[in-house]
């Protein structure tokens, strides 16, 4: 922007300067010419009274010497003789004598002025005033140089002023850009100092107001999440009481364990929601923390889901890689991914539908695949859109999985499974491979 403003100032000022300089330069040249030619005409006119009194060569020579040099002031006497050296063309002299005309003639060497003087007896003398070409333009070059310097100073000053104004605009724009990027990266404390032109100052004030509003909305959202999570403690208490009434049975023990795990998750959500910048921290938490083994976490969660699978008559198979499959991902988050994938099978397929869970290790990646024999996913792209559900749920399950995959430098894909239903595959970068790439 600074370069553009400086270029505009240079172009406009140059055009304005040229529009004045060219006519002014021509005027200076004409004035210089008029000054010397007028002086020459005056010298010629001053000699006319002398010729009216006498045409003696000695008297005329003395008058010429008093008015100017014989090289620039010449007299053609009535007898055809000359006092001084003539510069006018022969034809112009003859015309002045015969026609008795006052003439001004440009020659190769300069400018000549011929003034005829009519004497007694119808005789004619001609006074010639000569101005060399150098005298016609004397001082013009110096005047043009001064004007050029003034024009350059004007153009340079305007460009400098435009550059300073552009620097102020650019500085304000860059400050607003940096603040916007910082706010987008999660720095909710960033603000800008309104500066620059009025429009950019208004933009800075609007940005600060927007940032304050974002902070307020996030605070309200955190409180809402904490409140909603806290409300779930009431049904959890009911589950504990129901498990107590069931006695010391395996079913009661499983209910108690599930309720305890859910309570721990709620405590974590409430703590995170009440922490400043919770939204930014939750977005960057994935991929951080102590590495865990994908196969071990999947095996642990399958033990939990196997009870419900047996109750619903769902046959399932699992194939877990015997090789270590560590990923730089918190174990709780990975367990949530597994639960979301297997839970989708239970929620969106009829009871009795079989499913398969696979964990494969490749060169740099670990692949977690869940296949089912259900109806499949008609629109995989819509299923991966946050808040959009293809089965009547909240639409957040697969979004959680997708965000986890991206945090682990992997991806989530939905295709058709060999069993006939949906195949959901998640890839994670191995912990060692990821560290090597970062290093």
């Amino acid at each position: 922007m600074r370069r553009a403003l400086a270029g505009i100032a240079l172009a406009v000022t140059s055009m304005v300067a040229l529009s004045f300089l060219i006519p002014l330069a021509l005027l200076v040249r004409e004035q210089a010419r008029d000054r010397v030619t007028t002086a020459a005409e005056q010298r010629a006119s001053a000699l006319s009274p002398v010729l009216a009194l006498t045409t003696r060569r000695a008297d005329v020579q003395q008058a010429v010497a008093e008015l100017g040099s014989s090289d620039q002031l010449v007299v053609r006497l009535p007898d055809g003789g000359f006092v001084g050296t003539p510069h006018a063309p022969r034809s112009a002299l003859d015309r002045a004598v015969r026609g008795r005309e006052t003439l001004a003639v440009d020659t190769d060497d300069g400018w000549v002025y011929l003034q005829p003087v009519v004497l007694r007896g119808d005789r004619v003398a001609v006074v010639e005033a000569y101005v060399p070409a150098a005298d016609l333009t004397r001082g013009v070059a110096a005047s043009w140089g001064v004007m050029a310097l003034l024009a350059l100073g004007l153009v340079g000053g305007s460009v400098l002023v435009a550059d300073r104004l552009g620097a102020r605009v650019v500085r304000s724009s860059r400050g607003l850009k940096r603040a916007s990027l910082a706010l987008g990266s999660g720095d909710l404390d960033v603000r800008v100092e309104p500066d620059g032109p009025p429009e950019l100052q208004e933009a800075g004030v609007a940005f600060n107001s927007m940032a304050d509003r974002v902070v307020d909305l996030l605070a309200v959202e955190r409180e809402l999440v904490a409140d909603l999570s806290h409300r779930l403690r009431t049904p959890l208490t009911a589950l504990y009481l129901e498990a107590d009434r069931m006695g010391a049975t395996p079913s009661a023990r499983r209910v108690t364990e599930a309720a305890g795990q859910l309570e721990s998750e709620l405590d974590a959500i409430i703590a995170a929601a009440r922490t400043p910048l919770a939204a930014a921290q939750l977005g960057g938490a994935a991929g951080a923390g102590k590495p865990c083994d994908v196969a071990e976490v999947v095996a642990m969660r399958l033990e939990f889901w196997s009870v419900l699978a047996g109750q619903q008559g769902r046959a399932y198979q699992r194939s877990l890689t015997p090789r270590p499959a560590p990923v730089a991902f918190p174990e709780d988050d990975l367990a949530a991914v597994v639960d979301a994938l297997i839970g989708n099978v239970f929620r969106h397929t009829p009871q009795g539908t079989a499913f398969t869970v696979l964990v494969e290790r490749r060169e740099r990646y670990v692949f977690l695949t869940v296949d089912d024999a259900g109806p499949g996913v008609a629109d995989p792209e819509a299923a991966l859109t946050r808040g959009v559900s293809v089965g009547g749920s909240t639409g957040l399950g697969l979004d959680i999985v997708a965000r986890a995959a991206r945090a682990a430098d992997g991806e989530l894909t939905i295709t058709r499974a060999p069993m006939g239903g949906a195949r959901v595959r998640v890839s994670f970068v191995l912990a060692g491979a990821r560290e090597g790439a970062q290093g």
Side-chain angles (χ1 to χ4, degrees):
M1 181 178 291
R2 291 178 61 182
R3 184 177 299 176
L5 290 176
I8 293 173
L10 175 63
V12 172
T13 312
S14 299
M15 288 188 292
V16 172
L18 288 175
S19 64
F20 282 98
L21 281 178
I22 293 175
L24 187 60
L26 296 176
L27 180 61
V28 167
R29 187 179 65 179
E30 290 300 322
Q31 285 183 339
R33 178 185 178 93
D34 291 343
R35 184 180 66 252
V36 294
T37 55
T38 300
E41 292 174 2
Q42 291 175 351
R43 289 196 303 269
S45 298
L47 195 58
S48 297
V50 176
L51 293 175
L53 295 176
T54 179
T55 58
R56 291 177 55 192
R57 181 179 294 273
D59 296 336
V60 173
Q61 287 178 342
Q62 183 179 359
V64 168
E66 292 177 355
L67 293 175
S69 65
S70 59
D71 186 55
Q72 295 185 2
L73 193 61
V74 181
V75 177
R76 181 186 181 279
L77 299 174
D79 59 2
F82 289 92
V83 175
T85 304
H87 297 84
R90 186 68 182 182
S91 58
L93 283 172
D94 294 341
R95 180 180 173 186
V97 172
R98 289 194 300 269
R100 301 177 182 181
E101 301 179 41
T102 300
L103 301 176
V105 181
D106 288 313
T107 65
D108 295 337
D109 298 331
W111 179 82
V112 176
Y113 175 74
L114 300 176
Q115 181 176 333
V117 180
V118 180
L119 306 175
R120 288 191 302 271
D122 199 27
R123 296 179 304 159
V124 177
V126 178
V127 180
E128 174 189 314
Y130 169 71
V131 179
D135 292 346
L136 292 173
T137 58
R138 187 180 304 278
V140 174
S143 300
W144 285 3
V146 172
M147 289 189 293
L149 290 177
L150 291 175
L152 289 176
L154 177 63
V155 172
S158 65
V159 171
L160 180 61
V161 171
D163 181 72
R164 291 298 87 200
L165 293 176
R168 186 183 178 194
V169 173
V170 170
R171 183 172 59 251
S172 302
S173 301
R174 288 178 176 173
L176 191 58
K177 172 188 174 183
R178 287 192 296 268
S180 301
L181 294 175
L183 182 63
S185 301
D187 185 3
L188 301 183
D189 295 328
V190 65
R191 297 294 184 274
V192 297
E193 185 67 29
D195 190 16
E199 294 79 4
L200 283 178
Q201 292 183 16
E202 293 175 1
V205 173
F207 174 84
N208 291 337
S209 300
M210 178 192 68
D212 293 337
R213 181 59 176 164
V214 168
V215 172
D216 294 340
L217 291 176
L218 286 178
V220 172
E221 182 180 357
R222 289 197 297 269
E223 291 300 324
L224 180 60
V225 171
D227 292 344
L228 292 177
S229 301
H230 188 72
R231 292 179 187 178
L232 294 177
R233 292 186 180 278
T234 300
L236 274 177
T237 303
L239 285 177
Y240 280 126
L241 295 176
E242 186 65 24
D244 288 340
R245 283 196 293 268
M246 292 171 63
T249 62
S251 297
R253 185 175 65 255
R254 287 195 296 270
V255 170
T256 302
E257 291 176 355
Q261 183 179 0
L262 182 56
E263 185 174 15
S264 299
E265 294 290 341
L266 289 177
D267 291 338
I269 292 175
I270 293 173
R274 292 187 179 277
T275 301
L277 302 182
Q281 291 171 351
L282 287 175
K290 183 179 179 180
C292 62
D293 191 281
V294 178
E296 293 179 359
V297 175
V298 171
M300 178 184 65
R301 298 313 301 158
L302 274 176
E303 291 181 4
F304 171 80
W305 288 101
S306 62
V307 177
L308 184 58
Q311 293 176 355
Q312 295 186 0
R314 295 178 182 270
Y316 74 91
Q317 295 180 349
R318 69 178 189 177
S319 176
L320 309 180
T321 177
R323 301 168 59 192
V327 293
F329 208 71
E331 182 176 338
D332 292 341
D333 292 343
L334 183 56
V337 170
V338 178
D339 289 342
L341 294 178
I342 300 177
N344 275 343
V345 176
F346 282 81
R347 281 190 293 271
H348 302 305
T349 62
Q351 294 190 17
T353 301
F355 66 94
T356 302
V357 179
L358 306 174
V359 176
E360 306 168 273
R361 171 172 171 165
R362 303 283 176 83
E363 182 179 356
R364 295 184 65 249
Y365 291 90
V366 179
F367 293 92
L368 169 60
T369 306
V370 177
D371 295 343
D372 64 66
V377 179
D379 190 351
E381 184 176 353
L384 293 176
T385 303
R386 180 175 176 83
V388 177
S389 173
V390 294
S393 63
T394 61
L396 299 180
L398 287 179
D399 181 71
I400 294 174
V401 177
R403 286 190 291 115
R406 289 193 296 268
D409 295 335
E411 62 178 355
L412 168 65
T413 58
I414 301 178
T415 56
R416 177 67 64 175
M419 301 175 67
R423 162 169 283 190
V424 182
R425 169 171 286 186
V426 189
S427 62
F428 303 95
V429 174
L430 287 168
R434 189 179 192 186
E435 293 172 359
Q438 292 175 348

